[in-house]
Amino acid sequence: MNFLAHIYLSGDDTLLKIGNFVADSIRGKDYINYPTKIQQGVILHREIDTYTDAHEIWRKSKKLIVPQYNHYAAVLIDMYYDHFLAKNWNQYSSIPLEEYAQRFYTELQENFTALPVKVQNFLHIMLEENWLVKYRSIEGLRYILTQMDRRTKGVSKMSFATTELVEHYDTFEEHFSTFFTELQKHLIDFKKTERYLLK
């Protein structure tokens, strides 16, 4: 799961969403230095990642592109799945994606000082390029993957990865739909655990 899915799976609480969004920029137990809701967001993010990496359907998706992209395949499947969430957004939310994204961008700006420095440094680019909405089109996704590829100096070859997305489009979409439903069900139970509730 990438940014859009992590934010969506956090529900409506602003700090919970922010914690889930910034989790990859917080090391180990450093999250305990943040407010409770941000801590819960980080914990939720890590649970989503753990569940995702072990899930049979996600692994099937990954297997389709491992030969071409090796260890970058996991990142690409997360990006593909965000594409399908954005594309089919009206199935998951009554709020239009453009409005949802702008609301979250505003929440990030209002809580800028609470963000890790790494996130502060890329936030202006995310907002200017409207990443969360860009995921919705293949062209937009290709643009973002090209930027990511440049940061690896072309080693990842991610700028070409929409080729495989298009080639296996229906399969990936079916995988996402089934997986995302199961993930949501899993999180309902996880949010009742002592680990998440910080007890």
Side-chain angles (χ1 to χ4, degrees):
M1 297 287 95
N2 204 55
F3 288 142
L4 183 59
H6 277 289
I7 296 163
Y8 172 79
L9 291 168
S10 300
D12 297 326
D13 187 281
T14 296
L15 291 183
L16 190 62
K17 286 189 286 185
I18 288 174
N20 203 335
F21 171 70
V22 304
D24 284 335
S25 298
I26 298 177
R27 292 181 175 273
K29 294 186 177 180
D30 288 350
Y31 71 92
I32 64 174
N33 299 316
Y34 289 83
T36 299
K37 285 295 182 180
I38 290 183
Q39 291 184 42
Q40 286 183 301
V42 173
I43 292 169
L44 181 61
H45 180 108
R46 292 175 180 178
E47 177 63 22
I48 291 168
D49 283 356
T50 298
Y51 180 85
T52 298
D53 291 347
H55 200 285
E56 180 182 2
I57 293 175
W58 185 87
R59 286 173 175 267
K60 283 182 179 179
S61 290
K62 180 182 171 184
K63 190 175 181 180
L64 288 172
I65 62 170
V66 164
Q68 301 93 317
Y69 300 101
N70 298 311
H71 63 277
Y72 292 104
V75 176
L76 289 168
I77 296 304
D78 286 346
M79 298 294 287
Y80 290 176
Y81 279 19
D82 255 27
H83 162 70
F84 289 115
L85 176 58
K87 175 197 169 192
N88 299 302
W89 183 256
N90 62 354
Q91 296 180 23
Y92 300 97
S93 176
S94 60
I95 303 171
L97 180 58
E98 293 83 354
E99 182 181 343
Y100 182 89
Q102 289 303 320
R103 286 185 188 181
F104 184 65
Y105 297 154
T106 298
E107 290 171 336
L108 289 174
Q109 291 171 309
E110 291 173 346
N111 292 276
F112 186 80
T113 57
L115 305 177
V117 173
K118 181 179 178 181
V119 178
Q120 291 179 352
N121 289 340
F122 73 68
L123 185 62
H124 70 285
I125 299 174
M126 178 183 184
L127 272 58
E128 288 174 6
E129 298 185 348
N130 199 3
W131 289 356
L132 299 182
V133 175
K134 250 191 174 69
Y135 293 143
R136 185 168 54 192
S137 70
I138 292 175
E139 294 75 16
L141 184 61
R142 182 184 296 115
Y143 173 85
I144 293 173
L145 292 175
T146 298
Q147 305 309 308
M148 294 170 68
D149 193 21
R150 287 175 180 169
R151 289 199 290 274
T152 71
K153 297 182 179 180
V155 173
S156 71
K157 296 182 172 57
M158 286 191 284
S159 60
F160 305 103
T162 52
T163 300
E164 285 74 22
L165 172 62
V166 172
E167 181 181 353
H168 304 288
Y169 199 84
D170 291 343
T171 298
F172 282 133
E173 186 162 22
E174 181 180 348
H175 284 182
F176 164 76
S177 179
T178 303
F179 166 77
F180 201 63
T181 297
E182 294 183 11
L183 172 59
Q184 287 177 289
K185 290 178 181 177
H186 171 74
L187 293 180
I188 290 173
D189 291 331
F190 176 73
K191 289 178 180 179
K192 299 173 184 176
T193 64
E194 292 187 356
R195 179 179 165 223
Y196 176 74
L197 296 173
L198 299 175
K199 292 183 179 180

